[in-house]
Each structure stands twice: as C-alpha cells, then as structure tokens.
Amino acid sequence: MKRLNSNQNHGKLPVLLSVKGNGSHAYNSMTMVNWLASMPWWTPVLLMTALILWPHVAWAGSNYTAGDALDALWRWAPFLIKSGFLFNILISFLVLAVGTVGGVLLGLGQISLSKPVRAVSWFITQLFRNSPWLVILFVVMLLVPYEIKLFGYNFFFPDWMKAVFGLSLPIIANISEIVRGAVQSVPNTQWEAAEAMAFTRNQTLWKIILPQCFKRMIPPWMNWYAILTMATPLISILGVEEIVNLSRQAIEAEDNHPELLIPFYSFVLILFFAYCYPIARLTVRLERKFAVKL
Amino acid sequence: MQLSDSWSPSDPIVSIKNVHKSFGALEVLKGISMDIMKGEVICIIGPSGSGKSTLIRCINALNDIQSGSITVEGQEVHDPALDKLLLRKKVGMVFQQYNLFPHKTALENVMMAPLLVLKEDEDEVEARARKLIKKVKLEGKEDNYPGELSGGQQQRVAIARSLAMQPDVMLFDEVTAALDPETVKEVLVTIKELAADGMTCILVTHEMGFAKEVADHIYFTDRGVIVEHGSPDVFFDNAKDPRTQEFLSQIL
C-alpha cells in the first residue's frame, strides 16, 4: 500500500504533497463559512427554479397548481418575514450577545492563573463545544422551570428565553475557544516585556495582549454568528414561533396542500441564504486581510 | 525613593552572591557572584548556553533562583514578600527581539508604562517620552508603528521605553544579536551615551569591540560559572584561563 502511494506521488517528498491529495482533512472551524462564501449568489434562485418546476410535473393531475402555491406564498410572505424571520434574527442577536459575553468570560477563565478556574472553564468549554445542540436545547427546556420564586419575586422563563439560553451554551463554548486561542497566539515575549516594565497581569491582558488579538478574533466570531443564525430554526421544535414553525402553520392554514411544502420551505432557505451569504463573504475577506497583516 | 533603607550609594547597586539556578535537572548557574557599583558598565560574555541571559533575567526576577542572593539597592530580589513591580520600576530591561507592542506607536510604546504603572501625569509623560525619542535619535518617528521601523530603530524605541520608567539599572540582553550589522552601531552608540550619562548598565553581549571600549568590567562565563573577570585591558590582552583564551581566539 505504501509502495503504491509513493508511485502515485511520483516520488515527491512528503512535505511537498498537497494535504487534499493525501485524503486527510485538517479540522478547520471556518469550513462552513468558507463553503457558504464559495457559492455564487444565484445558487438559491437556481435551486428554487428547479424545485418549483418539479411539482409542476409531479402533481400535474392535481387541481392545485404551482401557480396557486406561489400565490399562497405571496400572501403569506410579509407575515412570515415580519413575524418569523425577523424574530429569528432577533434571537440570533440575543444569542450572540449572551454567547459573546459568556464566551469572553469563559475564555479568560481558561487562561486564568488559578488552576481550579482554568480546569472548570476548560471542562465547561469542552462539554458544550462537543454536545449536539439539539440535546442541549432539550435539556435546557426540561431542566429550566417556567417560573422561579426567588426572594419573594417571580421570575418567568418563557420558551423563547430558554431557547436563547440553550443556543447560547454552545456559542459560549466556541467563543471561549476563540478567545483562548487568540490570547495564546500572541508571542510570550509580549507578556515578558510587559512584566519587565512592571505591568500587572490585568493591565498586560487588557492593554497589551487583547488589543493585539482582537482583530484575529473577528472572523471566527462572525463565522459562529452565521452558524448560529442558521441554527435558530432548531428552536421551532421547542414550540417557539419562529420562521419554520410559522411556515408550517401557514401551510396548515392553506389546507395542507403538499404542493406548498417546497415553495414555502425554499422561501425560508432563500431568506437564510440572503442573510448569511454576505456575512460569509465578509468573514472570508476579513480573514484573508487579517491573516496577511498581523 | 530607594528599595531598601539600609542601602547607601557607596554600596554595590546590584550584588549577586553564590547564585544557583536550575531548570529541572539542568543547572545553568552554578554559584555566580558579582558586585556592580552605581554608574558602572558591566559586560557579560561567553559561549551560548553559558547562562548569561538567565543570569540577568534573575536580576529583575523574570527568572527565579534556587539558592544564593541577589540584591538591588540593598533589597533582596527573591524575597517572596517583595513587590516585584517595585523592583521592576528600578530595573529596566531591553530584549534581543525588542518586544515592542505592535499595536502602539513609538511614542505610545514609550508612554505606556509611566502612564499605566506609575500613573503619572499625561502631559509630563509625553514631554519626557518625546525627549527620550529625541535622545535615541528617532525624531519624526514618534507616530510610526513598530512594524514600520527597522530593527535598529525598534531597538532604540525599546531602550527609550525602558528609560521612560527612570530606572536606576538597565539590563541589556543581547540587544544587538537580532540586528543587521549596519544597524548594530546605532544601538551601541545609544547605549554608549547612556553609559556616559552615568546609567548603571549590565549587558550580555557578543560585541567584543564594544565591550572593550565601554565596559568598566568584563565577566566571562562558561557552563554556569564565572571563569574569569577583570577590566577590559587586562581581560582582552592577558586572559589567563585556557577557556577564555579559546573563546577569544574564536571570536576576535
């Protein structure tokens, strides 16, 4: 087997071989954004055209035409965007806010001088980074009560709040890793120089180290925003009325014609694409820009 | 303000006594002693791996020691009760790789420590920083970022940055080793002027010509011990130990 490989590679030194050619894949957290950004902008249009034409053929015998289906979509679209998609975007902002604050704190915990703090932060990070999001959502849904009585006050946790919390956990963990990685990418000598000039650890971290790696954190941070935005429909299974949930309700209101499924869900797909595609392109551009500089 | 009340300027400003330092099983300093008086310029030379850099990094407590004693202005450096920040205000250090803060301009690099650590008045600090940049002959480069400066220029900013803390002792850790030959001179001239102003300087260096010209005292270390020391004239012309002779014959 080894012999065969070396023949195929025409005796090139191993270091000269492309990684892809070897069939091994290095893990790259930016894969999703890179893939999205690599698509031409008209991809969903092409996809939708094909999908709309298909039921035309499939249900040619039915009275309900693709024209009727599109008509229904046309009537529902403003409601789906306003009450559905914008709500998804709102959720994504909330998750990003909670995830960023929590992730930065947890990331700083991972580089803390205190060993217990470091260990706990590392454990939380790994736990939520490596758990399926859906499982996390279910656990949060079942464990967090609707109402908590504390010091004589009633605190309510409606479903959307639990959903934000549940989606935030994996984001917190991933942003924690971004922060840890970025801080550790700054050469040790910077810490040393600051130490020799009597800076305290906090001053060094906030005035010298973090400002240097701030730029480096932006592309992966945006990458996670795109991922989490596309994950917001997950909360539909928790009963939160976001776009996928409302689309299903709309289809039901239109007498559950199967011809409606493809136009309605394709519409959802296009909305997400239209929102995330520019973010992905910008992320990839920023990543290249910051990678060259540094 | 000095570090210890019992110290008077006629005592050694830095006193190193029988210092031992190990990294795990590897002992890099095996009983080093030296006294440095205020205003003296000391050059520590020797083959790589002889423990020179480790030694000066022990003086400002960037490295700890296993046994022995190092005092700066009478204050024991490795006293666990000592506020290390207090020590580092007195002892400035310049590194081989300059280690400027890349996100700050030359002027900001010089101003940062006095502002944040000493909490001095901003106008005063800026005036002092501009004067220091002038002193290291970098007028007009105040607003340049380190990435826009040559190695020699960056190293001179690094020297100004250390001086901005108004230290009593300056440590130079092979500050010209990473520089192009043509920029080495400008950095050495800066250090020479500093020495002429009466600054106590401890240098680890491979620049023998410079050591001969500027140093008051030369220490030759090899494998963690001081093999030989003396004034430059005696040291360079009449080295007694065969190890010193061999080293000098290779380098001169």
Side-chain angles (χ1 to χ4, degrees):
Chain A
M1 193 63 202
K2 212 168 187 181
R3 216 180 147 119
L4 198 77
N5 268 340
S6 66
N7 280 344
Q8 278 175 339
N9 296 327
H10 306 289
K12 273 187 199 167
L13 287 172
V15 284
L16 297 177
L17 299 173
S18 80
V19 176
K20 274 181 193 156
N22 279 341
S24 67
H25 295 273
Y27 173 71
N28 175 5
S29 65
M30 299 276 283
T31 305
M32 202 285 295
V33 147
N34 283 330
W35 172 74
L36 186 57
S38 70
M39 284 195 275
W41 62 269
W42 39 261
T43 307
V45 181
L46 185 75
L47 204 65
M48 190 158 181
T49 314
L51 290 172
I52 286 171
L53 289 177
W54 175 69
H56 228 47
V57 182
W59 285 296
S62 157
N63 288 334
Y64 200 82
T65 63
D68 294 331
L70 284 180
D71 193 44
L73 177 61
W74 184 250
R75 272 182 282 118
W76 281 96
F79 170 75
L80 289 179
I81 292 174
K82 262 189 276 173
S83 300
F85 189 65
L86 288 183
F87 185 70
N88 285 59
I89 300 305
L90 180 68
I91 291 281
S92 75
F93 282 144
L94 290 174
V95 172
L96 184 70
V98 175
T100 304
V101 173
V104 168
L105 291 177
L106 195 62
L108 294 178
Q110 281 205 86
I111 51 166
S112 161
L113 285 182
S114 146
K115 209 172 174 188
V117 173
R118 240 180 12 240
V120 169
S121 306
W122 176 85
F123 179 77
I124 297 174
T125 301
Q126 295 306 322
L127 179 69
F128 291 120
R129 226 165 72 100
N130 297 308
S131 303
W133 292 26
L134 203 52
V135 176
I136 296 177
L137 277 174
F138 269 123
V139 171
V140 167
M141 213 61 190
L142 296 172
L143 284 188
V144 179
Y146 177 72
E147 187 185 348
I148 293 179
K149 274 192 186 152
L150 215 61
F151 309 117
Y153 292 97
N154 289 348
F155 292 93
F156 292 97
F157 297 102
D159 285 347
W160 68 266
M161 219 186 255
K162 290 186 194 176
V164 168
F165 180 60
L167 276 183
S168 295
L169 292 175
I171 297 303
I172 285 174
N174 281 292
I175 288 177
S176 163
E177 276 297 272
I178 293 172
V179 172
R180 184 195 58 77
V183 167
Q184 287 182 347
S185 74
V186 176
N188 241 339
T189 49
Q190 289 284 314
W191 285 94
E192 213 166 55
E195 198 184 344
M197 282 193 295
F199 283 88
T200 63
R201 187 182 153 84
N202 272 338
Q203 284 173 334
T204 309
L205 188 62
W206 290 98
K207 302 282 180 180
I208 294 164
I209 305 298
L210 287 175
Q212 285 184 50
C213 53
F214 178 69
K215 271 189 189 169
R216 257 173 267 181
M217 291 191 266
I218 294 175
W221 178 74
M222 287 169 64
N223 173 55
W224 280 104
Y225 177 64
I227 291 176
L228 92 88
T229 304
M230 288 195 255
T232 52
L234 279 180
I235 66 178
S236 67
I237 56 137
L238 305 181
V240 179
E241 296 207 327
E242 51 68 69
I243 186 149
V244 171
N245 210 333
L246 288 182
S247 298
R248 197 168 56 225
Q249 290 178 25
I251 292 168
E252 278 161 14
E254 290 287 327
D255 294 338
N256 256 333
H257 286 288
E259 291 87 345
L260 291 167
L261 291 174
I262 286 164
F264 270 70
Y265 287 123
S266 302
F267 177 65
V268 174
L269 181 76
I270 286 182
L271 287 179
F272 277 104
F273 184 88
Y275 185 73
C276 292
Y277 183 69
I279 296 175
R281 290 295 288 245
L282 182 65
T283 304
V284 170
R285 221 175 67 200
L286 285 179
E287 199 204 10
R288 281 198 197 118
K289 196 174 142 198
F290 295 158
V292 176
K293 228 183 153 195
L294 204 95
Chain B
M1 195 191 74
Q2 61 187 50
L3 281 170
S4 166
D5 296 332
S6 58
W7 181 75
S8 80
S10 58
D11 298 331
I13 188 163
V14 176
S15 179
I16 300 172
K17 285 194 182 70
N18 198 24
V19 163
H20 289 259
K21 159 81 186 162
S22 316
F23 293 102
L26 183 73
E27 192 173 25
V28 284
L29 300 178
K30 303 169 186 167
I32 300 261
S33 300
M34 57 174 77
D35 281 334
I36 296 134
M37 303 304 291
K38 192 168 167 56
E40 266 191 324
V41 178
I42 301 296
C43 284
I44 303 168
I45 62 173
S48 32
S50 64
K52 323 177 288 280
S53 289
T54 309
L55 176 64
I56 71 163
R57 291 162 62 92
C58 289
I59 297 174
N60 71 345
L62 277 184
N63 286 351
D64 57 356
I65 58 175
Q66 264 73 47
S67 68
S69 136
I70 299 177
T71 58
V72 172
E73 296 182 0
Q75 168 65 50
E76 174 58 52
V77 167
H78 294 275
D79 176 359
L82 170 70
D83 181 0
K84 291 212 167 45
L85 303 186
L86 218 60
L87 166 75
R88 290 179 185 139
K89 288 170 196 167
K90 293 285 173 191
V91 184
M93 183 161 190
V94 184
F95 299 87
Q96 181 176 343
Q97 296 291 346
Y98 347 124
N99 301 353
L100 291 179
F101 305 134
H103 60 303
K104 297 277 180 186
T105 64
L107 185 68
E108 287 168 341
N109 261 283
V110 178
M111 288 173 65
M112 247 183 125
L115 283 182
L116 285 167
V117 177
L118 304 179
K119 313 249 189 278
E120 288 179 314
D121 175 70
E122 182 160 1
D123 293 338
E124 252 170 61
V125 171
E126 185 174 339
R128 193 162 81 222
R130 288 189 185 278
K131 223 153 90 195
L132 283 168
I133 286 182
K134 203 167 155 185
K135 191 184 165 97
V136 298
K137 300 186 183 65
L138 284 172
E139 270 175 295
K141 301 286 185 190
E142 287 89 348
D143 297 325
N144 286 76
Y145 285 90
E148 300 163 346
L149 300 174
S150 74
Q153 290 171 334
Q154 287 190 54
Q155 194 58 290
R156 282 181 285 154
V157 174
I159 292 172
R161 181 175 71 165
S162 276
L163 291 175
M165 293 286 279
Q166 300 178 305
D168 295 340
V169 180
M170 286 283 284
L171 309 174
F172 296 89
D173 186 4
E174 303 198 30
V175 291
T176 56
L179 297 177
D180 297 332
E182 61 265 36
T183 57
V184 167
K185 206 178 158 201
E186 60 190 45
V187 172
L188 293 181
V189 165
T190 304
I191 300 174
K192 217 187 288 182
E193 286 173 2
L194 205 57
D197 291 347
M199 175 64 76
T200 311
C201 298
I202 304 173
L203 296 99
V204 168
T205 184
H206 290 294
E207 299 291 333
M208 293 307 140
F210 175 80
K212 198 169 183 173
E213 192 184 339
V214 180
D216 294 309
H217 213 85
I218 304 223
Y219 287 86
F220 174 73
T221 60
D222 189 18
R223 285 170 232 159
V225 294
I226 294 172
V227 176
E228 195 163 353
H229 67 98
S231 65
D233 300 340
V234 179
F235 179 85
F236 282 107
D237 300 331
N238 297 303
K240 291 177 206 82
D241 193 281
R243 272 192 279 177
T244 320
Q245 286 164 355
E246 193 197 337
F247 177 76
L248 289 177
S249 72
Q250 280 168 357
I251 212 155
L252 289 177

